Amino acid sequence: MPVKSDRSVRSRKSPLFRRLSLRPRLHAGATAALVLMALFATLSSRSEAQFSLLPVEVFLAKPYVQLGKKTPDKQHPSHEIIWIARDSKSNFSVDYRARKTAPWKTATTEKRVIHEQLPSSICRYSAALTDLLPGVRFDYVVKKDNAVVFSADALAVKDASQTYSFVVVGDLGAGSIGQKRIAQAVYKAKPDFVVMPGDLTYNFGRLSEYFTRFFPVYNSDSAASDAGVPLMRSTLCMPVLGNHDIAVTGSNTPTDLNTYPDALAYFLVWSSPLNGPLGETHTANRPMITGDVQRLSAFRAAAESRYPRMANYSFDYANSHWLVLDANYYMDWSDKTLRKWVETDLNNAKGAKWRFVTFHQPSFSADEAHFKEQRMRVLCNLFESKGVDIVFAGHAHNYQRTYPLRFRVRDTSRMIADGTVSGDIALDHSFDDSAKTKPKGIIYIVTGAGGAKLYKPVSTDKMNWLGNFIKKLNADVHSYTMCKVNGATLSLQQISDRGEVLDQFTLSKD
């Protein structure tokens, strides 16, 4: 086919045709080749568009503190330092010291490719810091080819004799002004650790979304009101798996790695104790994945044993024990093996004064959109019999607190397909937040106002229909939950992004 005239080519609006018009005498075959090359480059760039704006500097995600995949020694805490960078011929190393006057040590560093689609693969680096001192700040430096490229300090896990504080806030990584305001407020509150009950990034839990909506907000170099805060490099953050973290676009559909090749980043960027009930051999009760063989193999190699085990785990902090559960649609918590693990885990927490459970989809919520998502109620009897004090959830983009309650499940042997759980509820209306500090039952809290678009306020009539078990509800502002523990006394406040106290109460034990 002959090449079109210079005039006809210039009449086209496409930049591609305008570029070709500068060379009207090219052979037709050469022209076609150029067109195909340009189209291929365009398609390739679109397929990797989510990574096109990543910085070319040393780190894609600067170092941050994790508890680590091993169950820590309470007398000698350990932590992992993790960072994400492009693969290169350079060598990273980490030096640390347990306190200011201690000698420096060199940590053992590991490297794992977590995304292979680019000419320069993306790698997760981790360094194990051992023999730390409970509740003492430790220093660490990250070196690249023996040159220091990052330094920070962080607080080691406290022991049971020490007072501590923690923040719980979910539905975070929306890339919103509200998210940044909450990040600023949490950073200024200086908690000892932060628990994040699900929906860590929107909308699909992709690695690219962590780079654009999560790490820049929670692990920036400085605190700026319109950007982010240097929280994660110095403060332990504990993750929980939510529905937006698994790239599921409909109910009962697996995560498609062909459509979202960087999905399930939860299992790539976090490092929590691998003491949960699920192993690689389990075919149920785990995030299901689909895709071509190469993508599935690459994901499993990148996640290692984190998938699927890290979806459910437990950890201790000071005099508290935490049970972190996956509440997504594929989990059947009527399964005898899973229930036995929950029971055994809580039985083994004999030294814990406080027992907390956290998962994403709440057991009790005045939330019309998710009204039938009650599946976690099937565990209520276990929580009550094992002395759980508070259950924290997210999912609903507001704040809710129930009366102290007990829920008798009518049938714990199966899960109803529509997500509802039948049972009888008993509420403790005498608990008055301050004078009477020993509730009869468990308090269930929804703290999902961490940055995603807030849900509309619920009318009084609808609230009575949806949940007469709700004591407090606020859907007006973004907020977070702040808890302070001193031995057998716990004080909780719900605080808005403007610093207003929206709710508060005290719990005490003998």
Side-chain angles (χ1 to χ4, degrees):
M1 183 178 70
V3 179
K4 288 181 168 56
S5 69
D6 189 47
R7 180 179 178 182
S8 65
V9 172
R10 285 175 180 170
S11 68
R12 303 291 185 94
K13 294 182 180 180
S14 168
L16 173 61
F17 279 95
R18 283 201 294 269
R19 288 196 298 272
L20 292 177
S21 70
L22 299 176
R23 298 178 181 177
R25 296 181 181 178
L26 283 175
H27 187 273
T31 304
L34 283 173
V35 172
L36 289 173
M37 289 173 64
L39 289 174
F40 179 79
T42 301
L43 292 173
S44 298
S45 64
R46 285 177 181 174
S47 67
E48 289 298 335
Q50 65 269 26
F51 295 107
S52 62
L53 299 179
L54 296 183
V56 295
E57 57 191 29
V58 175
F59 301 108
L60 299 178
K62 294 189 175 180
Y64 52 99
V65 181
Q66 287 288 273
L67 190 55
K69 55 190 177 183
K70 296 181 179 179
T71 302
D73 182 339
K74 295 180 181 179
Q75 281 71 41
H76 304 284
S78 62
H79 285 279
E80 279 188 17
I81 303 299
I82 294 180
W83 65 97
I84 302 173
R86 296 188 188 277
D87 198 6
S88 70
K89 296 181 180 179
S90 302
N91 293 316
F92 282 104
S93 61
V94 174
D95 291 341
Y96 70 101
R97 58 184 180 183
R99 57 158 49 114
K100 295 294 183 184
T101 57
W104 288 89
K105 300 179 181 179
T106 300
T108 301
T109 302
E110 297 180 357
K111 169 184 170 182
R112 175 71 58 169
V113 174
I114 60 174
H115 191 74
E116 296 179 316
Q117 301 302 310
L118 295 173
S120 179
S121 298
I122 296 175
C123 296
R124 178 190 68 237
Y125 295 81
S126 61
L129 279 53
T130 59
D131 294 326
L132 301 173
L133 302 174
V136 176
R137 301 200 74 85
F138 59 90
D139 298 307
Y140 67 95
V141 297
V142 179
K143 298 179 180 179
K144 183 179 181 182
D145 295 332
N146 291 321
V148 175
V149 291
F150 184 88
S151 63
D153 66 355
L155 184 72
V157 171
K158 291 184 173 181
D159 64 25
S161 68
Q162 297 172 305
T163 61
Y164 60 100
S165 64
F166 61 89
V167 160
V168 187
V169 60
D171 301 80
L172 299 154
S176 65
I177 295 298
Q179 174 194 7
K180 295 171 183 177
R181 290 174 66 100
I182 287 296
Q184 290 285 331
V186 171
Y187 177 70
K188 291 178 181 178
K190 297 181 179 180
D192 293 325
F193 65 104
V194 179
V195 176
M196 300 175 170
D199 283 3
L200 306 172
T201 62
Y202 287 87
N203 284 315
F204 303 107
R206 305 174 69 176
L207 183 61
S208 52
E209 292 169 342
Y210 272 90
F211 290 145
T212 56
R213 292 186 166 189
F214 191 85
F215 290 121
V217 176
Y218 303 109
N219 201 26
S220 65
D221 284 331
S222 59
S225 59
D226 59 346
V229 292
L231 177 71
M232 295 183 68
R233 62 193 59 192
S234 297
T235 304
L236 174 65
C237 293
M238 304 300 299
V240 181
L241 195 64
N243 59 297
H244 279 282
D245 299 311
I246 57 175
V248 171
T249 55
S251 60
N252 301 319
T253 58
T255 301
D256 187 351
L257 295 181
N258 287 341
T259 304
Y260 305 113
D262 60 331
L264 293 176
Y266 174 94
F267 297 98
L268 305 179
V269 305
W270 298 98
S271 184
S272 299
L274 301 182
N275 56 5
L278 302 180
E280 182 63 31
T281 58
H282 284 73
T283 57
N285 293 313
R286 64 171 179 169
M288 303 304 293
I289 54 178
T290 188
D292 61 48
V293 174
Q294 291 80 8
R295 292 196 189 279
L296 292 171
S297 177
F299 169 73
R300 288 193 173 100
E304 304 174 273
S305 54
R306 288 177 170 85
Y307 172 81
R309 192 175 294 277
M310 203 172 66
N312 301 278
Y313 65 95
S314 65
F315 69 97
D316 296 318
Y317 194 102
N319 69 351
S320 68
H321 180 75
W322 288 79
L323 187 59
V324 180
L325 303 179
D326 184 356
N328 280 307
Y329 74 93
Y330 44 78
M331 294 298 298
D332 180 5
W333 286 105
S334 68
D335 181 276
K336 292 182 179 179
T337 301
L338 296 184
R339 295 178 68 84
K340 183 63 176 177
W341 176 74
V342 170
E343 183 179 15
T344 301
D345 180 86
L346 293 173
N347 280 339
N348 291 338
K350 296 177 180 178
K353 176 68 71 174
W354 297 97
R355 299 182 181 195
F356 306 115
V357 177
T358 181
F359 41 79
H360 183 60
Q361 291 90 338
S363 304
F364 300 93
S365 174
D367 171 16
E368 190 171 11
H370 306 300
F371 177 69
K372 289 188 175 182
E373 295 184 53
Q374 305 170 3
R375 64 180 70 90
M376 297 307 285
R377 293 185 185 183
V378 77
L379 291 172
C380 286
N381 62 325
L382 276 177
F383 296 161
E384 291 166 18
S385 66
K386 302 305 175 184
V388 171
D389 298 289
I390 303 177
V391 175
F392 296 98
H395 202 41
H397 301 168
N398 52 34
Y399 167 72
Q400 302 177 47
R401 169 165 66 99
T402 70
Y403 291 96
L405 65 83
R406 292 172 178 169
F407 186 78
R408 179 175 296 176
V409 185
R410 291 176 188 163
D411 186 0
T412 62
S413 65
R414 66 186 183 95
M415 299 287 283
I416 300 176
D418 68 357
T420 58
V421 178
S422 298
D424 302 308
I425 193 169
L427 305 177
D428 178 9
H429 288 283
S430 65
F431 181 75
D432 66 358
D433 304 352
S434 56
K436 188 177 182 298
T437 59
K438 297 178 181 178
K440 296 177 182 178
I442 298 173
I443 295 175
Y444 291 81
I445 288 177
V446 175
T447 178
K453 184 178 179 180
L454 295 169
Y455 286 0
K456 293 181 180 179
V458 180
S459 67
T460 301
D461 291 341
K462 187 164 286 187
M463 176 105 119
N464 291 334
W465 174 70
L466 288 172
N468 58 5
F469 44 75
I470 295 295
K471 169 75 171 177
K472 296 276 188 177
L473 186 148
N474 182 283
D476 299 329
V477 292
H478 289 99
S479 63
Y480 66 96
T481 306
M482 181 74 185
C483 296
K484 297 180 179 179
V485 181
N486 185 354
T489 302
L490 178 149
S491 60
L492 182 149
Q493 290 185 321
Q494 191 69 20
I495 305 173
S496 78
D497 56 2
R498 301 180 181 92
E500 306 161 308
V501 177
L502 307 176
D503 186 25
Q504 58 186 342
F505 64 86
T506 300
L507 299 180
S508 63
K509 296 190 173 188
D510 295 330

